[in-house]
Amino acid sequence: MIEKMMRLDLYTWAVIIGVMAGFVTRLLMLRTDYRHYPTYPHGHVMHLSLGLIAAGMGAVAVPALLDRNYTAITFLALAAQQFREVRNMERETMSKLDQMELVPRGSSYIEGIAMVFEGRNYLVIFSSFITSLVVVISHRWYGGVIAGLVMILVAARLRTGKVLREIAEIRLGNLRWEGANLFVDDIHLMNVGLKGDRERIERHGVGVVVRPLNDVSVVTLANLGQRQAILHDVSATLGVYRDTGDAGLVPIAKRKLEDGRLGILVLPHEKDEQKVIDAVARVPVLESAIRMPMEARHRNTASGGRGLS
């Protein structure tokens, strides 16, 4: 009886510390930044509640499996299905909100954000599961605390991915006109017919040139979703000088086909060129935009260029 009570206490500690580690992990990864999502307290409550549920499932799974209660696997499978539904919900919500943006995020950016929210719940389950397992194996509650801190540090490491400044060189470009055609350096952007729109672009527009550092970066910057993410993030951070119906006042990003450079026009409320460069540099690199053409080329070379047979 005493041994059973000791084991119960050990399992209780495992669940408590596991849930705490998982919840703190989710809290750490929940940020409201310049992308403005989630924005409102209700959004925070929803995501923290899901994080608490995920932490509880991960922590309880260890005692259940050690007691050979394999129905815990069924609950984990149901949790995975529920988190996929959360991803669909996030995608649907942000797609509707995107219709009201002057400079929309784009479907690639939205899908990336939805994928992140789903993946973070799985990371919470993994964090609480490992923490709970360490408590049971070590028979010491402080062993779980150490494991929980390690998992929280790992989560902090995985919280952010690459940003644009890691794959490209970003500098100011010179906006110039050739008749009604707008260029940034030697990259043609668009044709602006109205003289009033050209004057407003001269007053408020900032030109940026993004030069890829390698062949992989060239393919990434060619992705339309990545370009739209740049325009949206800069506009969300610094505002945009336009309103509905202003067809000539549109932030735009066009590519120089010969070398892969990207020419960008942004229209911030405050024409601060350094802030524009900083905002472009912080734009996240979308997972859907990442390609590895060099690796594919090397594999084809190693296989002797053989195709499918």
Side-chain angles (χ1 to χ4, degrees):
M1 177 65 71
I2 295 177
E3 181 181 351
K4 186 175 181 179
M5 291 179 62
M6 291 178 62
R7 188 178 65 170
L8 179 64
D9 288 341
L10 180 65
Y11 285 174
T12 303
W13 276 113
V15 171
I16 291 173
I17 297 175
V19 169
M20 290 176 61
F23 185 75
V24 172
T25 299
R26 187 65 185 96
L27 185 63
L28 180 67
M29 292 187 293
L30 184 67
R31 297 188 304 169
T32 302
D33 59 7
Y34 64 93
R35 289 185 289 276
H36 306 304
Y37 191 83
T39 309
Y40 301 106
H42 292 88
H44 288 127
V45 170
M46 179 183 68
H47 289 291
L48 289 176
S49 299
L50 287 172
L52 185 61
I53 293 171
M57 287 184 171
V60 172
V62 172
L65 292 175
L66 291 178
D67 276 350
R68 298 182 181 181
N69 186 0
Y70 298 115
T71 55
I73 300 298
T74 305
F75 284 106
L76 290 176
L78 291 174
Q81 178 64 36
Q82 182 62 38
F83 294 144
R84 279 193 293 271
E85 291 300 322
V86 171
R87 174 178 174 177
N88 294 333
M89 178 191 66
E90 298 297 337
R91 183 193 299 115
E92 182 180 352
T93 301
M94 286 185 288
S95 296
K96 291 180 179 179
L97 293 175
D98 209 41
Q99 298 173 9
M100 299 294 105
E101 295 280 357
L102 289 173
V103 182
R105 291 182 177 91
S107 57
S108 297
Y109 205 168
I110 289 173
E111 185 63 33
I113 295 174
M115 187 187 306
V116 165
F117 276 113
E118 181 185 8
R120 286 177 176 177
N121 285 319
Y122 296 140
L123 189 58
V124 168
I125 291 177
F126 182 71
S127 176
S128 59
F129 183 89
I130 294 298
T131 302
S132 180
L133 183 63
V134 170
V135 173
V136 174
I137 292 176
S138 66
H139 295 274
R140 297 291 186 274
W141 63 268
Y142 49 81
V145 172
I146 295 173
L149 291 174
V150 171
M151 295 306 301
I152 290 170
L153 292 175
V154 171
R157 181 77 174 180
L158 298 175
R159 182 173 58 178
T160 56
K162 282 188 175 182
V163 292
L164 206 62
R165 62 170 169 260
E166 299 178 47
I167 68 166
E169 175 190 326
I170 303 162
R171 62 174 179 82
L172 288 173
N174 178 40
L175 290 177
R176 61 184 181 85
W177 297 94
E178 291 185 8
N181 293 301
L182 177 62
F183 289 79
V184 55
D185 288 356
D186 60 336
I187 304 172
H188 180 260
L189 295 179
M190 60 179 174
N191 182 282
V192 182
L194 297 178
K195 182 179 178 181
D197 288 341
R198 292 199 294 269
E199 291 175 350
R200 285 189 285 181
I201 288 174
E202 289 177 359
R203 290 197 304 269
H204 298 279
V206 177
V208 178
V209 176
V210 180
R211 184 180 68 83
L213 297 179
N214 51 48
D215 288 344
V216 175
S217 303
V218 170
V219 179
T220 299
L221 293 176
N223 184 275
L224 295 179
Q226 183 64 60
R227 296 191 221 175
Q228 189 62 35
I230 296 172
L231 299 176
H232 171 79
D233 271 12
V234 175
S235 300
T237 306
L238 303 176
V240 57
Y241 185 81
R242 73 177 299 247
D243 202 354
T244 56
D246 290 333
L249 297 176
V250 180
I252 189 171
K254 296 294 286 292
R255 182 177 172 230
K256 187 75 171 178
L257 296 178
E258 288 77 12
D259 55 15
R261 285 178 300 140
L262 206 61
I264 302 172
L265 166 69
V266 293
L267 298 159
H269 274 302
E270 178 186 354
K271 190 174 179 180
D272 189 320
E273 295 176 338
Q274 186 56 49
K275 287 183 179 179
V276 171
I277 293 296
D278 293 340
V280 173
R282 293 198 308 267
V283 174
V285 177
L286 304 184
E287 291 185 16
S288 60
I290 298 174
R291 301 289 186 273
M292 296 297 178
M294 295 300 293
E295 291 187 6
R297 191 182 306 167
H298 291 160
R299 285 197 296 269
N300 289 336
T301 302
S303 62
R306 295 189 299 271
L308 295 175
S309 59

